[in-house]
Amino acid sequence: STACFAAGGDIILIAPNPNAAPKTVSLQVEGIEGSVYYGEVAWTEGATALSVLETALKDAKVEYVVKDSPYGGKYISSIGKDVEATYGGYDGWMYYVDGQSPMYSIDACPVAAGQSLLVAYGDMNLVLPIITAQKNYKGQVTVQVEADVTYYDESWNANIVREPMIGTKVTVDGVEYTADDKGQVVLSAESAAKETVSVQVEKIAEGGAPLLARLAPDYTLDLTAAETVLPFTDVAEGKWYTEAVLQMSDLGAVTGFPDGTFQPDGIVTRAQVANVLFKLSGGIPVNYLMTFSDVSQEAWYAEGIRWAASQKIATGADGMFRPNDPVTRQDLAVMLDRWQQAQGVELDQTGEAPAFADNDQIAAYAAESVYRMQKAGVINGIDGSFQPKGTATRAQLCKMLAGLVVSD
């Protein structure tokens, strides 16, 4: 069309720009077995979802049937060979505009230029996939498949919940995976090393109809934008203890708390150290008479303390172990040194061991262990001092353990 406007007493005509991009609607039609149509459809003034669909199907010479709905308006009965109620239920052709399911019949839903239209065959509970990717500290890539599921209460108030799509078949660069109970799949190292990967999904309802709409045929996922996610909310990248905490977590030696934190500055108890060393040594219960009056046989740490006592890594006093007492830094050095000796490990003693400013405060029973740990590079001190009677933290425990058990 030609636009005009008045300037003073003159009428100025403006011819249309022949180089202007045509106005289109992006259309994707997904049948039971695959894609029926995918491309741009010319948009015209007053276009509806139905008119856009019909234009595309006629141009592509795809047969379809439109029927009058008993609830008013029209609906798609069939496209190609895919006919409503193929699976004997309320399955059929659904449509979405810009990812939303309109509250109109398809012939009454206006569509603007630049919008996207998805027409897909599926179960009446058909949902649209939401795909994201994340990396862990090792560079391993996990693809997450979710969908926004709508539930209605007794008064028909809608409640939208984002849920993992468990059991979804996920095809990444031609390789098939099955989403776990978190809706996730872990990519192969080959795929994880790429910048982008192609992704397609498929999930079938109990009745046999699609429950999850397919992605666009040319859908790709940008792995360079994948967020790096660490397992604990309070352990950030770049901290002096981060790598050690993650290494010990991978080995199953330490775990976090129910709220998702690790609490790196939290204290370490005698029971916790015994249990960690027990796990790192295989976690096999031993036949050893444990007589500590303050250690219940049913306690979560009982087998760890039994093992530690059998190996003479930790001993009690006055018939008690005091499992909940915090461990001092010098006592932690002693326990780790004894553990290494019990394992038959000879520590590397080639490192330097400059005197700590507070060497005179290290107890006689701990001095040799602290020295060996220092020569092995496991202990470095804090600003030139060792702080032997200071309470050891969870982060410090992991850092010292990593220095003993993780190879470079």
Side-chain angles (χ1 to χ4, degrees), residues 127-251:
V127 290
L128 306 185
I130 300 169
I131 311 295
T132 55
Q134 60 186 36
K135 295 180 180 179
N136 65 12
Y137 78 102
K138 295 179 178 178
Q140 194 175 55
V141 176
T142 299
V143 172
Q144 174 83 55
V145 184
E146 298 174 296
D148 288 337
V149 181
T150 304
Y151 295 94
Y152 295 91
D153 61 20
E154 295 178 353
S155 301
W156 285 98
N157 295 311
N159 181 31
I160 299 176
V161 180
R162 182 159 294 184
E163 296 183 350
M165 291 290 99
I166 301 169
T168 298
K169 184 174 81 173
V170 184
T171 304
V172 180
D173 278 356
V175 179
E176 290 186 4
Y177 304 84
T178 300
D180 61 16
D181 59 0
K182 297 180 181 179
Q184 298 177 340
V185 299
V186 179
L187 299 189
S188 67
E190 181 181 358
S191 292
K194 298 179 179 178
E195 293 187 353
T196 61
V197 291
S198 64
V199 181
Q200 191 52 267
V201 295
E202 180 182 281
K203 184 173 176 63
I204 305 300
E206 289 185 5
L211 181 60
L212 188 65
R214 288 189 188 86
L215 297 164
D218 61 355
Y219 180 90
T220 58
L221 184 62
D222 182 5
L223 299 186
T224 63
E227 178 185 7
T228 299
V229 177
L230 300 181
F232 307 112
T233 58
D234 57 349
V235 177
E237 288 187 278
K239 298 291 186 180
W240 61 265
Y241 53 76
T242 297
E243 185 176 13
V245 169
L246 297 177
Q247 289 167 339
M248 291 303 103
S249 176
D250 284 348
L251 291 173

Side-chain angles (χ1 to χ4, degrees), residues 31 55 73 102 141 216-217 344 347 403:
T55 296
V141 176
L347 293 174

Side-chain angles (χ1 to χ4, degrees), residues 376-389:
V378 176
I379 289 175
N380 296 310
I382 302 172
D383 296 328
S385 64
F386 179 62
Q387 301 179 14
K389 295 179 175 59

